[in-house]
């Protein structure tokens, strides 16, 4: 009787543990043991992209990312090619295992930066909108794509309105959102790298002044 009771308790404990679930630690693939993860972009339960940061406390600029296509069983890390050493991560965003957008700011100068895109899983990257978006006075904060074509990007006020762009061709061309469409910033107000949320066509980003900006039409 006691044996049957013990087996029953063990069985119930196993069911309870399975129902509650567990967290599993995964290796990121980053070679540097002091690498941290700046942000995570999960496309689905298998495909996830991550951007790094310097976890040593030295504040070094980082341009490396990692990607998994098997739910985190294996990760492959590499660097975003073509990004200057002066740049550091704002965030990474992806729509599938091949297409991702990497946003960087110029950490050395304090302003400047841009967006780089890959269509081959991170093997090669190309900067988008050179000379048309995010000039030397910009500070890029957020990039998001709903699919391989439609996306938006946001940067700090430059010079008087938040710098917001939309694209419908995967970032080959970008259109600036008119200042009349954007509430004026407060004095000294700016966005925060990677701070945003998207549900359907709705987009929210927050600011250092405790305000939230909201769009119902994908950033327009």
């Amino acid at each position: 009787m006691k044996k049957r009771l013990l087996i029953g308790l063990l069985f119930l404990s196993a069911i309870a543990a399975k129902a509650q679930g567990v967290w599993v630690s995964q290796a990121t693939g980053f070679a540097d043991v002091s690498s941290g993860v700046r942000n995570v972009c999960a496309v689905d339960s298998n495909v996830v992209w991550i951007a790094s940061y310097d976890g040593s406390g030295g504040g070094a600029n980082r341009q490396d990312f990692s990607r998994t296509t098997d739910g985190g069983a294996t990760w492959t890390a590499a660097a975003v090619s073509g990004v200057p050493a002066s740049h550091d991560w704002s965030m990474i965003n992806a729509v599938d295992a091949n297409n991702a957008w990497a946003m960087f700011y110029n950490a050395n100068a304090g302003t400047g930066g841009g967006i780089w895109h890959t269509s081959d899983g991170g093997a090669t990257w190309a900067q988008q909108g050179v000379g048309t978006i995010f000039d030397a006075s910009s500070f890029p904060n957020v990039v998001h794509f709903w699919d391989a074509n439609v996306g938006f990007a946001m940067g700090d006020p430059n010079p008087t309105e938040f710098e917001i762009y939309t694209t419908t061709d995967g970032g080959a061309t970008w259109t600036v959102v008119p200042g009349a469409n954007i509430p004026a910033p407060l004095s000294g107000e700016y966005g925060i790298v990677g701070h945003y949320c998207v549900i359907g066509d709705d987009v929210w980003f927050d600011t250092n002044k405790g305000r939230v900006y909201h769009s119902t039409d994908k950033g327009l």
Side-chain angles (χ1 to χ4, degrees):
M1 181 68 177
K2 289 182 178 179
K3 185 176 181 180
R4 287 199 300 270
L5 180 60
L6 178 60
I7 293 173
L9 289 173
L10 289 173
F11 177 71
L12 291 174
S13 297
I15 292 176
K18 185 175 182 180
Q20 293 174 0
V22 295
W23 288 89
V24 178
S25 177
Q26 296 183 346
T28 61
F30 292 133
D32 193 330
V33 295
S34 65
S35 293
V37 178
R38 183 174 297 277
N39 84 290
V40 178
C41 180
V43 175
D44 54 37
S45 58
N46 291 313
V47 178
V48 184
W49 298 68
I50 57 177
S52 71
Y53 78 93
D54 177 19
S56 71
N61 299 330
R62 300 292 292 269
Q63 300 87 35
D64 48 337
F65 70 96
S66 192
R67 181 189 67 139
T68 180
T69 58
D70 56 13
T74 57
W75 291 82
T76 302
V80 179
S81 56
V83 180
S86 60
H87 287 35
D88 202 0
W89 281 103
S90 291
M91 61 169 291
I92 194 168
N93 180 252
V95 296
D96 54 39
N98 295 313
N99 286 278
W101 290 262
M103 175 175 274
F104 293 88
Y105 64 92
N106 188 327
N108 290 5
T111 56
I115 299 172
W116 280 256
H117 172 242
T118 180
S119 59
D120 54 14
T124 59
W125 297 79
Q127 187 175 0
Q128 294 188 328
V130 179
T132 61
I133 64 172
F134 297 128
D135 60 26
S137 299
S138 302
F139 195 103
N141 291 307
V142 168
V143 60
H144 179 85
F145 275 77
W146 283 264
D147 54 42
N149 294 310
V150 180
F152 98 106
M154 180 274 289
D156 288 347
N158 182 24
T160 59
E161 303 288 353
F162 276 95
E163 193 171 1
I164 302 177
Y165 302 94
T166 60
T167 181
T168 58
D169 57 11
T173 59
W174 294 83
T175 301
V176 64
V177 175
N181 291 12
I182 310 169
L186 302 176
S187 176
E189 188 172 27
Y190 52 83
I192 304 170
V193 295
H195 276 220
Y196 83 107
C197 187
V198 171
I199 300 178
D201 293 349
D202 289 75
V203 184
W204 295 262
F205 70 83
D206 59 329
T207 79
N208 66 314
K209 294 292 185 177
R211 298 203 300 166
V212 176
Y213 277 63
H214 177 216
S215 168
T216 60
D217 53 13
K218 297 181 177 178
L220 182 60

